Amino acid sequence: MAATAAVHGRATRCELGWSPERRRSSHPISSAVDLSQDYHLMLLLQRQSCLWQPFRHCIINSQVETSRDATFVGVYDGHGDPEASLYISDHLFLHLMRLSRENGSISEDILRSVFCATEDGFLTLVRRTYGIKPLIAAIGSCCLVGVIWKGTLYVANLGDSRAVIGSLSRSNKIVAEQLTKDHNASMEEVRQELRSSHPDDSHIVVMKHGVWRIKGIIQVSRSIGDAYMKRPEFSVDPSFPRFHLSEPIRRPVLTAVPSIYTRTLQPMINFSFSHLMGCGST
């Protein structure tokens, strides 16, 4: 199953400000916005088939916000149920608008604050509903965001969605470069990071059914939500064995701190945001 949405946009040098034309959808999508021909931005969503079973909803929400001053793109790949990806779609961009206006700019620190505010807000929602819907503690979402402002591309990422940038070589061929790194236990670097931060936990990463999983359950090491992997008060009852941890966590296993990448854009640069993994985040 695959879908694409393309945005042609210019990174303007105007004062920061959004009066965006809001363009959102849940996967699959197919839409385009024509703004200029200086940059080509593609939002590519592609995944393997999803099994629609109880508590196995795989939903990818995409979001494009455009104005004459800036362009924003988000890909939110939820796992469990759609609450987390929908929450991000409804709140993350609003946090970005608020913080960027307060500071008069966009920076890596602002993007970190935006992700932190979104995470805190969703965990507040989890706390309010945990008593009546305990499985909300096992709902989460990957989050890939790109912002173009003043000729600079800012990319912030949690999980295993990807941002790829392409440039035209001297031989008139497009050379692709993946900007983001996957926060996924299939990566040796991620497994080493987890083992280093949890030296007293021999089961921090476990091979299960041929796949590396954190605590034998989840593949992604960074996400919005997944409260049961971050705070012991949100542990999942043994009656839900798929998400039950045999021992309470002593400290957060997953994190919502994004990896951030910046790149000064040149005319005719192409870049894409994509989710190319299967529905295997959990």
Side-chain angles (χ1 to χ4, degrees):
M1 185 181 295
T4 62
V7 178
H8 300 270
R10 164 174 273 173
T12 66
R13 298 185 177 275
C14 304
E15 292 299 318
L16 180 67
W18 263 288
S19 298
E21 299 176 12
R22 312 204 74 162
R23 301 170 186 269
R24 302 187 186 186
S25 69
S26 298
H27 182 75
I29 60 175
S30 180
S31 61
V33 186
D34 290 319
L35 298 175
S36 80
Q37 299 300 319
D38 282 358
Y39 303 105
H40 180 76
L41 169 62
M42 178 174 287
L43 180 61
L44 171 64
L45 307 181
Q46 181 176 343
R47 65 183 182 192
Q48 298 171 1
S49 59
C50 252
L51 298 179
W52 288 91
Q53 301 172 352
F55 210 80
R56 187 159 174 77
H57 297 172
C58 304
I59 184 167
I60 304 177
N61 276 283
S62 64
Q63 182 176 8
V64 178
E65 312 284 358
T66 62
S67 77
R68 63 179 183 178
D69 301 331
T71 299
F72 171 94
V73 177
V75 177
Y76 318 126
D77 174 29
H79 45 265
D81 266 358
E83 279 96 331
S85 60
L86 290 172
Y87 183 91
I88 298 169
S89 183
D90 287 338
H91 293 85
L92 186 144
F93 179 70
L94 298 180
H95 289 308
L96 177 62
M97 284 200 297
R98 174 178 58 83
L99 290 171
S100 61
R101 286 170 177 169
E102 289 175 0
N103 292 271
S105 66
I106 289 177
S107 66
E108 294 187 9
D109 286 341
I110 286 176
L111 284 175
R112 291 188 186 94
S113 296
V114 166
F115 274 64
C116 181
T118 306
E119 167 83 345
D120 289 346
F122 185 71
L123 293 185
T124 298
L125 174 64
V126 171
R127 186 175 294 107
R128 289 201 307 263
T129 58
Y130 180 69
I132 58 175
K133 185 181 179 179
L135 280 182
I136 195 172
I139 293 172
S141 181
C142 300
C143 182
L144 174 63
V145 164
V147 181
I148 307 172
W149 183 62
K150 286 193 172 182
T152 299
L153 170 66
Y154 298 85
V155 176
N157 185 49
L158 298 172
D160 52 16
S161 299
R162 298 172 181 174
V164 178
I165 192 167
S167 58
L168 204 61
S169 68
R170 293 181 179 178
S171 59
N172 210 33
K173 295 182 178 179
I174 293 179
V175 179
E177 175 190 356
Q178 182 174 323
L179 293 180
T180 54
K181 293 183 179 180
D182 294 349
H183 303 139
N184 190 299
S186 64
M187 309 295 292
E188 175 65 27
E189 179 181 350
V190 172
R191 297 197 297 274
Q192 290 297 336
E193 178 183 331
L194 288 164
R195 288 166 179 151
S196 296
S197 57
H198 299 82
D200 54 345
D201 188 349
S202 61
H203 297 95
I204 188 64
V205 285
V206 177
M207 176 69 77
K208 188 173 182 180
H209 304 305
V211 178
W212 285 104
R213 296 181 183 272
I214 299 162
K215 303 297 289 183
I217 299 175
I218 190 168
Q219 287 181 262
V220 293
S221 61
R222 304 190 193 191
S223 68
I224 298 292
D226 296 306
Y228 75 119
M229 286 285 190
K230 296 173 179 176
R231 300 187 182 181
E233 63 265 33
F234 295 129
S235 61
V236 177
D237 190 89
S239 60
F240 303 103
R242 181 182 174 190
F243 303 102
H244 176 65
L245 298 171
S246 58
E247 297 181 359
I249 59 173
R250 302 174 185 176
R251 54 189 176 276
V253 175
L254 306 187
T255 178
V257 179
S259 295
I260 299 180
Y261 315 83
T262 60
R263 180 66 60 91
T264 300
L265 297 179
Q266 302 297 328
M268 297 312 297
I269 279 183
N270 298 273
F271 48 97
S272 68
F273 295 81
S274 64
H275 180 81
L276 300 174
M277 309 296 287
C279 190
S281 295
T282 58

